[in-house]
DNA sequence: TGACAAAGCGGAGCGTTGTTCCGGATATTA
DNA sequence: TAATATCCGGAACAACGCTCCGCTTTGTCA
């Protein structure tokens, strides 16, 4: 039953077993990521899913594709929360702060995700790109609104903020001496306009 | 020619060829680190040094030991600069800022060093420990002095500051969109006392 | 229903890296 | 010089990423 793709070219939908396998892999990957982080061996995910490694590579050519697929919904939710917060908060700065809280929560609860995002190697380049494409406009909108309202000084670039926050979330997440939120709070403090200019 | 160790036990100094090899390895490692980062394969370092891999493992059981040895002098220099800056600056906050500048310079010029420091895996645990042992007291002294002078608000923990700065230096160092120094400047700004409390 | 081609699958296999092991070479000392 | 404690090199093993290829399953069409 060929159908029509958005590009207009005739396209055949995937075989039923392929779709089933893709879902099985996603579920298994999510479980393994929780247990062993996003750097877990592909073999381990394949074993948990009960499929061969090639199956995973076929559906998700790079590790970044797999990670992206697993967290797709949460990334979308985070992206959509931005405008909503801007509407529901009485101050753009407050909306920015709450949104950053969401973003940080997301990062620190996925072991090694922040590390992957900023990884020096480019194994995760596609993941980095996806985050930027999806979330940078949101943060830009929040920043613009806060600047517009005169709550923060202008000049900070959205990319720089995003990456700085991501960076601050890197590393072991079970160290009681380090709470990225405190430093991010300090960063935001530094961003505020002097109370009396 | 047995000599006396600090513990009082008789100790034989290393064989001459072992000392030579250790130095050769250090030199080669320094060169390879510059070219390929601190994650470079041991084989590569061994080849460059013209020794076997076991020789490297014998002298430097973990990668952290090797990295530590290579950068030992620079870490010491950074540690010693702290008190000196405190003496020569007219404001403790200024000394703190200059010292952080030194620290950041050191981190960003060694490819992947910041990444290694905050690595989620514990391959570099000893390196992290060494940095903390050596530099945390220095940063604590600078912070205390600045708090004492009423230039920054109290409450920030030295460990948190060190790690935050290290984290902000993580990742690709050739991205013109991201300059860790700007964000660190913002952090310091957030640390300042409100001008008019 | 019953072929048959296309699509999909599994795991063996190759290359890379970390780490260890051991027979042989070498420096030191008597 | 000869003995021996020390050190060395690279082979060997394990873990992992990724690919290749013979076999299986699925969808289709007579």
């Amino acid at each position: 039953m060929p159908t029509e793709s958005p590009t207009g070219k005739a396209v055949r939908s995937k075989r039923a077993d392929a779709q089933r396998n893709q879902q099985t892999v996603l579920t298994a990957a999510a479980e393994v990521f929780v247990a062993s982080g996003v750097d877990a061996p592909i073999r381990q995910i394949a074993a948990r899913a009960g499929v061969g490694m090639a199956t995973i590579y076929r559906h998700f050519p790079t590790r970044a594709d797999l990670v992206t697929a697993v967290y797709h919904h949460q990334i979308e939710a985070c992206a959509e929360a931005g405008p909503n917060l801007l509407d529901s908060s009485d101050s753009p700065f407050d909306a920015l702060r709450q949104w950053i809280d969401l973003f940080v929560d997301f990062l620190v609860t996925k072991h090694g995700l922040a590390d992957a995002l900023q990884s020096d190697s480019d194994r995760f380049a596609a993941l980095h790109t996806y985050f930027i494409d999806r979330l940078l406009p949101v943060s830009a909108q929040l920043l613009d609104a806060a600047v517009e309202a005169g709550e923060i000084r202008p000049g900070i670039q959205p990319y720089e903020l995003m990456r700085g926050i991501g960076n601050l979330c890197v590393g072991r997440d079970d160290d009681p001496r380090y709470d990225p939120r405190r430093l991010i709070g300090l960063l935001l403090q530094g961003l505020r306009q002097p109370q009396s200019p």
Side-chain angles (χ1 to χ4, degrees), chain A:
Chain A
M1 181 204 292
T3 174
E4 200 76 3
S5 87
T7 65
K9 271 176 63 171
V11 141
R12 175 185 305 274
S13 70
K14 277 185 169 178
R15 257 169 56 170
D17 57 342
Q19 295 184 38
R20 240 181 300 126
N21 267 328
Q22 175 154 347
Q23 194 50 56
T24 306
V25 167
L26 274 179
T27 306
E31 292 167 2
V32 172
F33 286 170
V34 168
S36 316
V38 294
D39 261 316
I42 297 288
R43 277 172 173 79
Q44 194 177 330
I45 300 171
R48 158 86 71 150
V51 303
M53 283 176 300
T55 299
I56 296 186
Y57 280 105
R58 204 171 298 114
H59 290 297
F60 309 100
T62 74
R63 184 180 291 270
D65 295 320
L66 181 54
V67 176
T68 301
V70 165
Y71 295 130
H72 182 258
H73 285 106
Q74 296 184 60
I75 296 171
E76 284 306 302
C78 192
E80 287 164 12
N84 293 344
L85 284 172
L86 209 46
D87 286 346
S88 66
S89 283
D90 36 49
S91 123
F93 181 78
D94 226 54
L96 177 64
R97 184 158 46 199
Q98 289 181 255
W99 184 75
I100 288 177
D101 252 1
L102 281 181
F103 185 48
V104 171
D105 272 335
F106 174 55
L107 284 184
V108 300
T109 54
K110 319 294 175 228
H111 301 182
L113 181 57
D115 302 57
L117 270 181
Q118 320 294 352
S119 172
D120 196 331
S121 99
D122 45 36
R123 245 182 334 156
F124 288 101
L127 182 61
H128 189 269
T129 301
Y130 177 61
F131 262 82
I132 293 304
D133 283 354
R134 198 66 190 84
L135 297 182
L136 190 126
V138 178
S139 76
Q141 188 187 355
L142 286 160
L143 279 175
D144 283 347
V147 168
E148 186 76 20
E151 294 182 307
I152 66 174
R153 74 184 75 193
I156 176 82
Q157 294 303 312
Y159 179 80
E160 203 144 45
L161 179 70
M162 292 260 72
R163 184 162 158 191
I165 291 171
N167 269 2
L168 285 174
C169 294
V170 159
R172 313 203 68 87
D173 50 3
D174 56 357
D175 189 335
R177 292 173 299 174
Y178 182 75
D179 177 2
R181 273 171 265 257
R182 279 202 289 269
L183 287 174
I184 290 170
L186 238 43
L187 245 181
L188 285 174
Q189 193 58 234
L191 215 46
R192 298 213 75 147
Q193 294 277 17
Q195 266 75 346
S196 41

